[in-house]
Amino acid sequence: MRQNKLIYDSYRIPVPEEFEAAFSHFYFAENNSEIAVTKTLLPSFQTIMVFNFGAHAFLISKQKTKIEVGKCIVLGPIKSSFEYCHPPNSSILVANFKNDAFYRFFGKAILSDHFPIHPDEAMEENCFNRLALQLNNIDTAEEKVNHILNFCKPYLNQQDTTSSLLANFKSDTMNPIKSIAEQVKQSERNIQLIHKKHFGFSAKEINRYHRFLKAIELIQQIDFTKEKVNWFDIINQCGYYDQSQLIHDFKHFLNLSPKNYLKFQQDICQATSE
């Protein structure tokens, strides 16, 4: 019986259909082992809210600075990878905001690319301290998610028309900024500003990230017991100019070389739901 409890466990929790435009999913992880567990979170370009239960987990910056999570933090949009550590007897529940949902809740999209803040600072109320205390008295992760979703309902504002067009734009060949500017009869500059204000990043940044994410997904499809990574095939499929540009993106998003990514990928957590 004791051996079954001494484990690290993590899993995703889907959201009900009515919240799918606001959250991609929730993520729960708990460390019931006797040693601290360190993981790396891939960039997702999503803003996340983390609730911490039990011993305090902490984030580790690129400069190796430890930042204690506390009861609740918000962080993002996550544009580069970072490490996080679960001490023994700790658990976290992470809400992953989708597209411009954080702006719809808080009226701002950009908090900090590097440092977390308490959500009550963003909301300018004390409601999230109370929410964290309520969640601490709820047993299962699924029940905690339902409580958070009910709590969020009154705060979720309607999506802006232009933001909706940007979030739902689907084309690999057309420029979303130019296309939507023509559709709504506004300047491209104005659409760029709306994108940055509501999503927390530019269309150029997210396009670069999507190209890198495609490379990661292709690598994850490889059966390493039967074949090796054909880097030139990945470069061609993802639209990189050459190997140097691919290596530069690995350094930019993960602070790892492609070779070290292969070595450590079992310890890397991908926040996106796709």
Side-chain angles (χ1 to χ4, degrees):
M1 178 67 74
R2 179 176 170 77
Q3 286 183 342
N4 290 335
K5 293 182 69 176
L6 296 180
I7 58 172
Y8 179 85
D9 191 21
S10 63
Y11 56 91
R12 293 165 183 258
I13 302 172
V15 296
E17 186 176 353
E18 66 175 306
F19 290 98
E20 287 180 348
F23 299 98
S24 61
H25 65 287
F26 283 73
Y27 173 81
F28 179 75
E30 61 180 345
N31 183 9
N32 291 318
S33 74
E34 295 178 341
I35 59 173
V37 175
T38 299
K39 295 283 186 179
T40 298
L41 181 67
L42 277 178
S44 62
F45 278 72
Q46 291 176 296
T47 298
I48 62 173
M49 182 181 295
V50 184
F51 294 93
N52 191 141
F53 309 101
H56 286 181
F58 52 87
L59 313 177
I60 306 170
S61 72
K62 283 184 178 179
Q63 294 74 30
K64 301 302 179 185
T65 301
K66 292 183 178 180
I67 303 169
E68 191 172 276
V69 172
K71 293 179 181 176
C72 183
I73 61 165
V74 286
L75 179 65
I78 311 285
K79 297 180 182 179
S80 60
S81 66
F82 64 84
E83 292 183 342
Y84 60 100
C85 181
H86 292 256
N89 301 313
S90 70
S91 64
I92 59 169
L93 180 62
V94 183
N96 292 272
F97 291 93
K98 192 173 180 180
N99 297 323
D100 63 336
F102 191 81
Y103 179 86
R104 293 169 60 194
F105 277 111
F106 291 89
K108 61 182 75 174
I110 302 173
L111 296 169
S112 169
D113 293 345
H114 307 290
F115 298 104
I117 69 168
H118 195 287
D120 282 342
E121 295 178 33
M123 188 65 85
E124 297 180 351
E125 292 185 27
N126 193 35
C127 50
F128 282 94
N129 271 330
R130 292 196 297 271
L131 176 62
L133 290 173
Q134 292 166 3
L135 293 175
N136 209 35
N137 294 319
I138 297 175
D139 290 333
T140 70
E142 288 76 9
E143 289 172 329
K144 286 181 169 68
V145 168
N146 289 334
H147 191 80
I148 292 170
L149 293 175
N150 286 328
F151 170 86
C152 287
K153 276 183 180 178
Y155 296 100
L156 184 61
N157 296 311
Q158 290 293 319
Q159 190 173 42
D160 175 83
T161 301
T162 303
S163 292
S164 177
L165 291 171
L166 287 166
N168 294 297
F169 189 85
K170 305 292 182 188
S171 174
D172 293 331
T173 57
M174 298 176 67
N175 182 325
I177 299 298
K178 183 177 181 180
S179 299
I180 292 172
E182 291 175 351
Q183 185 176 345
V184 299
K185 302 186 186 310
Q186 295 186 34
S187 68
E188 291 184 28
R189 177 60 178 160
N190 197 37
I191 302 302
Q192 288 172 341
L193 291 173
I194 291 173
H195 197 298
K196 185 76 174 178
K197 179 180 178 182
H198 289 217
F199 292 77
F201 45 79
S202 68
K204 186 177 180 180
E205 285 179 297
I206 193 66
N207 287 340
R208 180 183 179 184
Y209 167 69
H210 283 156
R211 181 177 62 179
F212 175 72
L213 191 60
K214 184 178 179 180
I216 293 294
E217 289 169 350
L218 288 173
I219 292 169
Q220 290 176 340
Q221 292 171 11
I222 294 172
D223 182 351
F224 293 103
T225 62
K226 298 178 180 177
E227 58 183 316
K228 295 181 179 179
V229 178
N230 184 332
W231 293 109
F232 292 102
D233 188 37
I234 289 175
I235 289 166
N236 289 330
Q237 286 196 52
C238 298
Y240 284 100
Y241 293 122
D242 53 29
Q243 193 169 5
S244 295
Q245 193 181 26
L246 176 66
I247 293 172
H248 189 261
D249 266 8
F250 266 89
K251 287 286 187 180
H252 175 78
F253 288 113
L254 301 182
N255 199 29
L256 289 172
S257 66
K259 183 178 179 180
N260 278 337
Y261 171 75
L262 296 179
K263 183 178 179 181
F264 297 115
Q265 65 172 315
Q266 72 273 13
D267 292 326
I268 292 176
C269 174
Q270 188 171 338
T272 50
S273 58
E274 290 79 12

